[in-house]
Amino acid sequence: MHLMGAGVELDRRTKGVAGAAERAPHAMVQECLNRSDEYLWGIVSNGLVLRLLRDSTSLSGQAFVEFDLEAMFDGEVFSDFVVMYLILHQSRVEVAEGSSPADCWLEKWRTAAVESGTRALAQLQDGVKTAIEALGTGFLQANPELNQRVSTGDIRLDDFHRSLLRTVYRLIFLFVAEDREALLSPDAETIARARYGEFFSTARLRRLSRRRRGTKHTDLWAAQSLVIESLGQEGGRPEIGIAGIGGLFEHTAQDVVMGYRLPNDALLPAIRSLTVVQPKGQPLQTVDYRNLGAEELGGIYESLLEFVPRYNSFDVRFTLEELAGNDRKTSGAYYTPSSLIDLVLDEALDPVLDRAENSVNPVDALW
């Protein structure tokens, strides 16, 4: 537990303050947890906010639970205080003599949450498969020219399939980036942000998918196509607050479906499949894309490699079937779980960082 004064920032160094002059208080506690096997959970607070931290090997950002004490007591929000009390009570971190820190209740709850997330992941994998089938069928039925090119082999079925995969992953990227408020340019004007939110955002699209079945109009896909193309082009589109980022959104020869129409009654069911899941015996649940991690995305991609595309020219229908000769088995592609990645980092990277820290020239030591 690391307690600071009320004027001390937790994420910055504060000159002249013991325990905060050399390192930010939050970073100090996190480093202690990461380096020590004796501690698994820790608390840092300046009296105004209180954070619960856990041992973490993540190098990409902070992960913690924060309680705003000032707002809680000024606003007399008793319900928030109850939540904090239930989570931070001493009994949550106590362990029997001779037991490890991993035996505490907080860690058991975390493990249960991870397992629950894994079960929900299986539902999302099914939703992605359904979405790809809905999009593929929708594009083929709405575009006779595209259907003709696929049926004659002018466009290979595998290329059509990869284009649908790329489209779905672009949509998932937009879901995550929007929910984390990281999609629009930081310099975007207020009117541009409002315009994007009202007419072009996937948040609007996801809301519509839960309320409407859709029509034969193609306006919703036209709006999403504009967003995707804007993200892939240099300069983006400032009038809706988008900066060009390239990468996944760059136009390539694999973009078979881009430029073709897609009816709303095909797009909305696909979006609904990506947005809502229903675990067995439970009510419908909205997918939390804000907290979707790399492991979930990797698991989805790995599962999709088990399917091969099928095209029924009579019904003009696109489906995915699981067969023995799928891409996953023939390519040997398997997602590496986070636990194994963490182990590799501990064994390979930590010794290098330790040597660099003790070196006269840390930068040269890393090379």
Side-chain angles (χ1 to χ4, degrees), residues 226-243:
L226 178 66
V227 172
I228 292 172
E229 292 170 355
S230 301
L231 287 168
Q233 68 187 23
E234 185 176 353
R237 196 171 291 273
E239 54 266 43
I240 55 174
I242 288 180

Side-chain angles (χ1 to χ4, degrees), residues 163 165-175 228 247-252 255 258:
S163 181
L165 276 173
R166 189 175 177 87
T167 301
V168 167
Y169 263 81
R170 282 169 167 171
L171 290 171
I172 291 176
F173 178 96
L174 292 174
F175 296 167
I228 292 172
L248 176 64
F249 294 92
E250 286 185 359
H251 182 75
T252 69
D255 288 323
M258 295 302 294

Side-chain angles (χ1 to χ4, degrees), residues 21-35:
E22 299 298 328
R23 297 287 302 278
H26 182 110
M28 290 180 64
V29 174
Q30 189 65 69
E31 184 176 356
C32 174
L33 296 174
N34 292 352
R35 288 180 173 270

Side-chain angles (χ1 to χ4, degrees), residues 280-334:
K280 187 176 181 179
Q282 300 183 35
L284 291 174
Q285 299 177 11
T286 302
V287 178
D288 181 12
Y289 278 104
R290 180 183 179 85
N291 297 303
L292 191 71
E295 187 160 348
E296 286 90 339
L297 288 174
I300 293 170
Y301 181 76
E302 180 182 312
S303 69
L304 292 176
L305 292 176
E306 297 181 351
F307 296 97
V308 293
R310 288 288 179 263
Y311 167 64
N312 187 321
S313 58
F314 181 77
D315 293 334
V316 189
R317 189 164 300 279
F318 178 86
T319 57
L320 296 176
E321 296 181 9
E322 186 173 1
L323 295 179
N326 57 65
D327 284 349
R328 180 180 178 183
K329 290 183 172 64
T330 56
S331 65
Y334 291 88

Side-chain angles (χ1 to χ4, degrees), residues 77-140:
V77 187
F78 183 69
S79 58
D80 286 2
F81 176 80
V82 170
V83 172
M84 182 181 71
Y85 179 84
L86 292 174
I87 293 177
L88 300 181
H89 191 271
Q90 179 180 341
S91 62
R92 300 336 187 208
V93 293
E94 286 181 333
V95 294
E97 186 175 352
S99 300
S100 69
D103 293 328
C104 71
W105 277 107
L106 268 180
E107 188 63 15
K108 291 178 181 177
W109 290 343
R110 177 183 177 275
T111 301
V114 170
E115 293 175 351
S116 175
T118 301
R119 290 193 294 271
L121 174 60
Q123 300 291 327
L124 183 55
Q125 291 171 348
D126 294 339
V128 172
K129 173 181 176 292
T130 302
I132 292 174
E133 292 177 332
L135 292 174
T137 300
F139 276 116
L140 292 172

